[in-house]
């Protein structure tokens, strides 16, 4: 299968056509780069498959090598390095998904998927695991909504699986063989959103060298997933409304509308009614988006699913969880929902020795979960404190590079939490104060699992 978003990278051809693909999600690209075989290079150089414009990224920074037996990421001896979970890596095998930091500040995700099973039940990212009553109701709703072209609004807390739900709406629809394009409204700088969504004509603005299609046209025939729709700036909302109503878009700098056949699915972890109330979201757009509406339940509301999901994730890492471990997991609260559970299982499997192992205790994982640094101390104090406490001992057991990286991570988290508080829980303000681009800031909050909505809800 090949479409606009499934590109084949050169060299290293696999022997048999593979149903596996890799996806690279990087800043500045509205939709992931996909490849099924070969090598995907990322770096500053325009010749890379994934171009990353950042001064701390090398010309050719990393390669994702796709072999018949697996996928690996290789750092090409770069100056500022490639980091995974705080550690500088040279090579890393990718099983499902990894989040990497290239250079000093660029976050990219590399994800391995498989769509060879299109004739079987929905698989992989589109597979919604869980048999609890709330999940069965959700599945029922999806089965009804999927075949239609109705716009659907997916609501739910962070990490509940909104993107998985969006993908399954696509996979269960008649558009499954056409592109599924993800557009993250929070990840694109507000000045570029219009052109990334609707495209632009040649020379539309300084820096617009060639013409570009934009996400709507890229998704032609398929599904456009507008993630974090609550982050869409107010001034761009009328243009989106027009696109949804008239099914046509006007590229930036152009004077003609272009027809598009796109099914739109949007997601948010905010309550859009509240956003409307606060004057940040247009009511007419909310009505237009929420023609179909589904709510993805929190993991608290379906504790029965915890063991099933945990076993599913363990299996995806080639490992298994012993029954007492499953019971202990089910007894925990999961404020970060399925994503937090998945990350916890991944760590537990890693600590137990990786693929092929059976996790028999959660001791190691407990350490890890209690690791979150206290937020009540200033960054410098936190570091001093860490050096003096038990954590300090751990720092001293690491190499200097690793210890430094760990300290930086601690500082980063601390800084972000305080910055967000000091900025009145407003992301744009936090961006202005810190001089960090909003979309990168957003990535940083995600990386540290800082739930902005939860912080806002708890604000004094
Ligand atoms: N029901 C499920 N079955 C299997 N995997 C799931 C399920 N729900 C979520 N996941 C996995 O959990 C992780 C988080 O899911 P997803 O990205 O869809 O959440 P989200 O609601 O979009 O989160 P956010 O609001 O933070 O963007 C992903 O790795 C996803 O594959
Ligand atoms: Mg999401």
């Amino acid at each position: 299968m090949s479409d606009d978003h499934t590109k084949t990278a050169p060299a290293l051809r696999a022997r048999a056509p593979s149903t596996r693909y890799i996806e690279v999600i990087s800043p500045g690209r509205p939709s992931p780069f996909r490849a099924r075989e070969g090598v995907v290079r990322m770096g500053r150089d325009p010749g890379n498959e994934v171009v990353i414009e950042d001064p701390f990224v090398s010309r050719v920074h990393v390669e994702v090598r796709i072999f018949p037996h697996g996928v690996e990421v290789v750092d090409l001896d770069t100056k500022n390095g490639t980091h995974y979970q705080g550690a500088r890596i040279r090579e890393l095998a990718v099983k499902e998904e990894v989040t990497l930091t290239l250079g000093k500040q660029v976050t990219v995700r590399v994800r391995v998927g498989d769509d060879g099973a299109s004739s079987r039940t929905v698989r992989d990212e589109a597979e919604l695991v869980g048999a609890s009553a709330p999940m069965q109701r959700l599945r029922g709703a999806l089965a009804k909504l999927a075949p239609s072209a109705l716009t659907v609004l997916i609501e739910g807390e962070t990490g509940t699986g909104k993107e998985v739900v969006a993908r399954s709406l696509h996979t269960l629809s008649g558009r499954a063989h056409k592109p599924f394009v993800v557009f993250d409204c929070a990840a694109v700088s507000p000045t570029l959103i219009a052109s990334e969504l609707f495209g632009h004509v040649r020379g539309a603005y300084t820096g617009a060298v060639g013409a570009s299609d934009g996400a709507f046209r890229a998704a032609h025939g398929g599904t456009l997933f507008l993630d974090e729709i609550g982050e869409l700036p107010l001034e761009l909302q009328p243009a989106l409304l027009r696109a949804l109503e008239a099914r046509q878009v006007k590229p930036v700098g152009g004077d003609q509308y272009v027809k598009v056949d796109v099914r739109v699915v949007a997601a948010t972890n905010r309550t859009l009614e509240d956003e409307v109330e606060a004057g940040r979201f247009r009511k007419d757009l909310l009505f237009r988006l929420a023609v179909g509406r589904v709510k993805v339940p929190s993991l608290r509301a379906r504790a029965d699913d915890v063991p099933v999901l945990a076993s599913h994730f363990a299996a995806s890492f080639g490992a298994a969880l012993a029954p007492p471990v499953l019971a202990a997991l089910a007894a925990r609260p999961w404020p970060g929902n399925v994503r937090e559970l998945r990350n916890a299982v991944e760590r537990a499997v890693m600590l137990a020795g990786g693929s092929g192992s059976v996790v028999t205790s959660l001791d190691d994982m407990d350490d890890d979960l209690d690791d979150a640094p206290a937020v009540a101390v200033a960054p410098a104090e936190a570091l001093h404190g860490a050096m003096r406490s038990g954590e300090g001992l751990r720092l001293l057991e690491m190499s200097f590079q690793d210890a430094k990286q760990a300290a930086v991570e601690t500082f980063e988290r601390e800084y972000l939490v305080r910055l967000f508080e000091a900025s009145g829980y407003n992301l744009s303000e936090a961006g202005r104060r810190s001089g960090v681009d909003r979309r990168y800031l957003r990535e940083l909050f995600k990386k540290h699992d800082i739930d902005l909505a939860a912080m806002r809800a708890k604000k004094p």
Side-chain angles (χ1 to χ4, degrees):
M1 181 180 99
S2 146
D3 55 53
D4 288 350
H5 302 280
T6 311
K7 298 198 175 128
T8 299
L12 282 187
R13 304 209 147 259
R15 257 164 260 124
S18 172
T19 55
R20 187 188 53 191
Y21 61 87
I22 68 122
E23 224 173 47
V24 178
I25 301 126
S26 61
R29 278 185 70 96
S31 56
F33 177 87
R34 264 200 188 192
R36 294 190 177 277
E37 52 187 42
V39 180
V40 179
R41 296 181 193 88
M42 291 181 240
R44 244 173 43 227
D45 215 288
N48 288 293
E49 279 77 29
V50 176
V51 181
I52 294 172
E53 290 170 17
D54 182 273
F56 301 110
V57 166
S58 298
R59 295 167 64 85
V60 185
H61 197 105
V62 283
E63 269 180 14
V64 182
R65 300 180 181 164
I66 310 168
F67 296 110
H69 59 272
V71 174
E72 60 186 36
V73 174
V74 182
D75 175 88
L76 301 171
D77 273 336
T78 54
K79 183 162 169 237
N80 295 311
T82 300
H83 287 85
Y84 171 66
Q85 298 197 336
R88 187 166 180 155
I89 55 131
R90 281 192 50 83
E91 280 179 30
L92 180 72
V94 187
K95 284 204 200 79
E96 257 201 347
E97 182 179 323
V98 295
T99 302
L100 302 169
T101 306
L102 310 192
K104 297 195 175 165
Q105 53 184 20
V106 174
T107 308
V108 298
R109 270 193 290 158
V110 178
R111 180 144 86 180
V112 182
D114 191 320
D115 56 11
S118 46
S119 59
R120 280 184 258 147
T121 45
V122 209
R123 260 180 52 91
D124 273 325
E125 305 141 293
E127 185 184 19
L128 270 175
V129 177
S132 60
M135 283 307 273
Q136 284 177 19
R137 280 196 294 275
L138 177 63
R139 274 204 200 86
L142 296 178
K144 278 198 204 117
L145 286 168
S148 73
L150 293 183
T151 305
V152 178
L153 179 65
I154 304 168
E155 298 171 291
E157 290 175 18
T158 181
T160 44
K162 296 185 292 297
E163 186 163 340
V164 185
V165 165
R167 281 180 195 270
S168 60
L169 277 172
H170 175 70
T171 318
L172 295 170
S173 78
R175 298 169 172 262
H177 58 292
K178 295 289 181 146
F180 176 80
V181 174
V182 181
F183 185 87
D184 186 344
C185 300
V188 178
S189 119
T191 52
L192 289 177
I193 292 187
S195 114
E196 301 255 7
L197 267 181
F198 309 126
H200 63 250
V201 298
R202 202 184 152 93
Y205 52 87
T206 330
V209 191
S212 124
D213 276 355
F216 262 96
R217 278 181 287 166
H220 190 69
T223 307
L224 174 59
F225 175 46
L226 298 175
D227 203 1
E228 313 266 16
I229 190 75
E231 301 292 324
L232 188 71
L234 200 53
E235 62 273 21
L236 292 168
Q237 293 176 15
L240 176 60
L241 184 62
R242 267 199 306 277
L244 292 174
E245 276 176 348
R247 302 279 155 192
Q248 51 185 15
V249 296
K250 188 156 80 175
V252 174
D255 47 16
Q256 308 250 338
Y257 277 93
V258 186
K259 280 234 156 292
V260 281
D261 165 25
V262 171
R263 199 260 179 97
V264 172
V265 173
T268 180
N269 53 24
R270 300 193 182 190
T271 305
L272 290 183
E273 273 79 6
D274 294 348
E275 297 299 300
V276 168
E277 196 68 22
R280 286 189 292 262
F281 206 86
R282 290 179 66 114
K283 200 176 190 171
D284 46 7
L285 180 57
L286 170 56
F287 287 151
R288 193 62 197 72
L289 286 170
V291 180
R293 198 164 188 169
V294 290
K295 177 133 198 169
V296 189
S298 71
L299 203 45
R300 286 182 302 291
R302 47 178 165 126
D304 293 358
D305 285 338
V306 172
V308 186
L309 281 162
S311 304
H312 164 78
F313 293 133
S316 74
F317 301 124
L321 306 174
V325 171
L326 290 173
L329 289 174
R332 286 175 187 243
W334 295 101
N337 294 298
V338 186
R339 177 178 301 109
E340 186 186 5
L341 175 64
R342 182 187 177 281
N343 292 344
V345 170
E346 183 176 15
R347 274 198 301 269
V349 168
M350 251 166 48
L351 292 169
S355 175
S357 26
V358 178
V359 181
T360 51
S361 107
L362 279 184
D363 298 351
D364 298 333
M365 201 166 103
D366 282 336
D367 283 356
D368 230 72
L369 287 177
D370 296 339
D371 244 7
V375 293
V377 283
E381 290 161 38
L383 191 51
H384 276 291
M387 285 305 292
R388 282 200 214 99
S389 67
E391 213 179 309
L393 287 177
R394 281 229 303 277
L395 284 180
L396 293 175
E397 282 162 13
M398 301 176 188
S399 72
F400 171 67
Q401 272 302 336
D402 290 351
K404 186 166 139 190
Q405 183 67 32
V408 168
E409 297 274 322
T410 308
F411 159 76
E412 239 177 50
R413 188 173 204 288
E414 195 82 9
Y415 176 88
L416 290 167
V417 168
R418 287 163 163 260
L419 172 70
F420 194 57
E421 284 168 358
S423 310
Y425 304 86
N426 178 315
L427 196 63
S428 308
E429 175 59 20
R432 276 191 291 277
R433 279 183 182 232
S434 59
V436 177
D437 185 82
R438 217 174 87 109
R439 79 187 134 150
Y440 173 51
L441 207 50
R442 181 105 205 157
E443 291 280 330
L444 280 176
F445 281 115
K446 271 213 165 157
K447 168 179 147 198
H448 288 282
D449 267 334
I450 301 173
D451 183 347
L452 301 184
M455 278 187 69
R456 279 195 194 102
K458 278 194 220 132
K459 75 181 167 194

